Amino acid sequence: MKVKRYDVFIAGGTQTATIFATCITNACKLFIATLKDDAAYKLTGKQYASIRYKKNYSICGDFVVQEAIGQ
């Protein structure tokens, strides 16, 4: 399987991490494992997902994961 690069951004624009994984689902799970609080992810497509803390009750997510362009 091909490993792809995924960039993680704080919702609002600042890049916070880079993860190498085989798919966006695995990238989200790997990033969530590094967080202190419980979180969940929502896929928007094969190249984009949002992550939010379970205690966050606003409509805005906390992090964005997207496949890096031009690998």
Side-chain angles (χ1 to χ4, degrees):
M1 286 195 241
K2 184 178 178 183
V3 176
K4 299 176 185 175
R5 186 179 113 197
Y6 294 93
D7 294 327
V8 181
F9 298 89
I10 296 174
T14 305
Q15 184 176 352
T16 185
T18 298
I19 298 175
F20 293 92
T22 55
C23 65
I24 188 96
T25 303
N26 289 339
C28 290
K29 290 177 182 178
L30 287 171
F31 183 72
I32 289 172
T34 67
L35 299 174
K36 294 179 183 177
D37 294 327
D38 291 335
Y41 66 92
K42 181 180 178 183
L43 298 177
T44 306
K46 292 183 178 182
Q47 299 174 334
Y48 186 84
S50 60
I51 296 175
R52 61 189 295 160
Y53 289 114
K54 290 186 178 180
K55 66 180 182 179
N56 179 356
Y57 294 106
S58 72
I59 60 171
C60 299
D62 294 299
F63 300 96
V64 173
V65 180
Q66 67 182 29
E67 186 177 336
I69 300 171
Q71 298 186 51

